Amino acid sequence: MKETKEGIDRYLQDESNSKSVNVEEVCVPEGAADLSFFLKHTKKQFTVFGGGTGIAGGATARGGIIVSTEKFNRIKINQKEKTAEAGAGVKLFELHAELEKYGLWYPVDSTEQTSSIGGNAATNAWGTRSYKYGSIRNFITELGVVTAAGDYLEIKRGGLKADGLIFNAEGNVFEIMDLSDKEGVKNSAGYYMRKNMDLIDLFIGCEGTLGIISDLKLRLLDTPLDIHAFMLPFLERGKAFDFVKRLKEHIRLKPLSLEFMDENSVELLRDKFAFPAGRICLVFTEFEEKSEIMDEFLEFVESEGIDTDRVKTESALKKQGFIYDAREALPQTVNEIIRHNKTLKISTDFSVTDENFSELVKEYYNALGKTVVKHVVFGHAGNNNLHINFMPENRPQQEEAVLIYDLLAKKAAAMGGSVSAEHGIGKHKKKYLKYMYNEEQINAMREVKKYFDPDNLSCPGNIFD
Ligand SMILES: Cc1cc2nc3c(=O)[nH]c(=O)nc-3n(C[C@H](O)[C@H](O)[C@H](O)COP(=O)(O)OP(=O)(O)OC[C@H]3O[C@@H](n4cnc5c(N)ncnc54)[C@H](O)[C@@H]3O)c2cc1C
């Protein structure tokens, strides 16, 4: 237990800049058994705090107890099996450092390295390389979960599947609803529910509402010999998106990542990075080492009318160098400006299917063309998931940015898209979840929660009220 005010302060805020209120205490259990004992005897509402890098306010509490997973920090690598068993509190950078010793690779790697692997599982995190490898969901083979009642569940992929929409675990029965119409959309909003689904997938992305993930097992890949990163400049935004579209349709070229940075982003970073001249936007892409593919990619670039002398290339296995520095500097610079302006970070995380992407981009630029609020547009173009980051200079501009966010959330949802492709719903995006799912669908999620947590103790207020 942490007792001093200084001791608990760092658990009371996440990267969304919202703060916990009325927290009674912070509990830092030693492991699953300790946590189980604590929950069996406490019977109070609690909120799980992993790395605190979430940007939807999910790790902040409205009363009750904060449970930190920081001591769940054991890592065990099985080189032969190519798996890692990790405590939920293991930070991404710690996992990578350990895997490096064994030549093994976890390619999802959500951008923020101080996030915990348990938090990544709870939010179904994605990374730049998710264009090829998808989210953490694709790599989790086992989960250890401590429920609000203090019971420990060992959930193995393949261990229990729904029969249609019914789960039956030795006579304990509950029902789900099929939400598979979101298939094909990058999505981390609300519960994952599908016909004949695996139980483990229900817990991935549930943002702590069904219990506390104490440990997990990940499948791993061999580290590639190298990764080649390319940065391509475009004088016209439309051409950049055409390039992205054609690369996605290419039969043999299968990039690891496919990212976009608009003209405002480039101008914002120009003082710090020697980008090619002109008011340009950029496309980043990466490939695993295969020399014949590299040649084919450069031929493809030439055939698209791009001067290969203006294309920057570097080795990106360690995610270091100009291209990565520029990519990472962007959200950091935006955050600095927002802190300086003392306004809120308003950042969209919408996604749609391939078919609807150009329509959504058109809607973005229609809306952005009418505002004076400064903004940048960047992110995961390959997954049809661009982030608009607004940098309001005062309260009225902040309110205007919120209105634009709201309008575009409705547009994305109306196209069958997601209002939260990778950041979760937490406490801040519940309103937008209602644009995406109707009351009946959200009630079906509530019913599942009631089954696992009838007294609403685990992360109350996340995803839905
Ligand atoms: C600069 C920056 C870049 C980012 N880039 C990406 C990105 O590329 N892709 C991406 O997906 N996200 C990104 N994020 C968001 C964030 O890093 C992810 O959401 C991450 O998965 C959160 O992990 P965490 O350990 O920090 O979780 P926290 O912030 O501590 O918690 C997030 C949610 O998960 C719950 N939770 C945490 N641990 C557990 C657990 N063990 N069991 C049950 N519930 C738990 C919390 O209650 C909360 O609801 C970024 C954030 C920042 C600040």
Side-chain angles (χ1 to χ4, degrees), residues 122-395:
T123 56
N124 187 32
W126 304 66
T128 50
R129 291 169 178 166
S130 290
Y131 176 63
K132 178 164 183 185
Y133 287 109
S135 72
I136 190 171
R137 185 185 300 287
N138 294 343
F139 289 82
I140 295 178
T141 60
E142 288 180 35
L143 281 182
V145 175
V146 181
T147 66
D151 299 323
Y152 181 76
L153 307 179
E154 197 179 305
I155 307 171
K156 295 191 179 188
R157 191 168 285 288
L160 180 65
K161 288 198 170 186
D163 182 1
L165 296 172
I166 307 288
F167 273 106
N168 185 343
E170 293 162 11
N172 295 311
V173 178
F174 69 95
E175 195 171 352
I176 53 166
M177 182 182 265
D178 185 32
L179 301 178
S180 58
D181 63 326
K182 293 289 172 272
E183 213 69 70
V185 174
K186 177 177 174 182
N187 185 23
S188 292
Y191 292 174
Y192 179 100
M193 299 201 284
R194 304 278 187 280
K195 266 185 197 152
N196 305 321
M197 68 178 281
D198 198 303
L199 181 66
I200 203 166
D201 285 319
L202 192 56
F203 285 82
I204 300 168
C206 78
E207 300 186 57
T209 56
L210 301 179
I212 303 181
I213 297 168
S214 55
D215 47 280
L216 44 91
K217 189 169 179 180
L218 295 170
R219 76 179 173 89
L220 303 166
L221 304 178
D222 288 319
T223 307
L225 284 177
D226 202 355
I227 289 171
H228 299 281
F230 298 89
M231 191 184 80
L232 301 97
F234 291 84
L235 284 164
E236 285 171 55
R237 197 188 302 140
K239 293 221 162 115
F241 287 121
D242 285 348
F243 177 85
V244 166
K245 183 167 185 287
R246 278 196 288 276
L247 183 52
K248 285 171 75 168
E249 288 164 358
H250 200 285
I251 298 166
R252 281 175 305 280
L253 294 172
K254 299 291 165 217
L256 267 180
S257 62
L258 193 41
E259 303 268 307
F260 171 79
M261 228 188 226
D262 79 342
E263 300 85 343
N264 289 350
S265 309
V266 174
E267 290 312 311
L268 194 68
L269 297 178
R270 231 185 230 292
D271 288 351
K272 298 180 188 161
F273 296 91
F275 291 118
R279 190 166 162 77
I280 52 164
C281 56
L282 298 168
V283 171
F284 298 99
T285 187
E286 294 174 305
F287 292 89
E288 283 164 80
E289 161 94 355
K290 277 192 190 99
S291 46
E292 69 282 14
I293 292 289
M294 292 305 94
D295 293 344
E296 189 159 1
F297 177 65
L298 288 172
E299 275 167 30
F300 172 73
V301 169
E302 262 185 339
S303 73
E304 291 288 311
I306 300 159
D307 177 0
T308 48
D309 288 345
R310 278 167 63 91
V311 175
K312 188 157 185 61
T313 312
E314 58 192 22
S315 161
L317 194 55
K318 295 211 161 177
K319 290 190 167 181
Q320 285 163 350
F322 182 92
I323 296 179
Y324 265 93
D325 291 350
R327 171 70 176 78
E328 278 176 27
L330 184 58
Q332 284 163 8
T333 308
V334 170
N335 289 351
E336 279 162 26
I337 293 171
I338 286 161
R339 269 196 296 273
H340 175 263
N341 290 351
K342 296 194 170 60
T343 48
L344 279 182
K345 176 159 179 161
I346 301 157
S347 164
T348 70
D349 182 27
F350 313 135
S351 63
V352 288
T353 56
D354 289 345
E355 295 74 44
N356 289 325
F357 185 50
S358 56
E359 188 56 33
L360 184 65
V361 170
K362 210 190 286 168
E363 295 289 356
Y364 281 5
Y365 281 100
N366 268 346
L368 295 173
K370 293 180 197 144
T371 181
V372 293
V373 184
K374 291 202 175 110
H375 57 268
V376 292
V377 181
F378 67 98
H380 319 293
N383 289 124
N384 313 314
N385 170 217
L386 295 180
H387 304 300
I388 305 172
N389 278 198
F390 292 97
M391 294 166 283
E393 287 169 355
N394 49 44
R395 268 300 171 91

Side-chain angles (χ1 to χ4, degrees), residues 72-76 84-90 95 117 214-218:
F72 295 50
N73 54 9
R74 187 183 63 97
I75 312 180
K76 193 173 146 210
E85 286 171 44
V90 168
L95 178 68
I117 197 74
S214 55
D215 47 280
L216 44 91
K217 189 169 179 180
L218 295 170

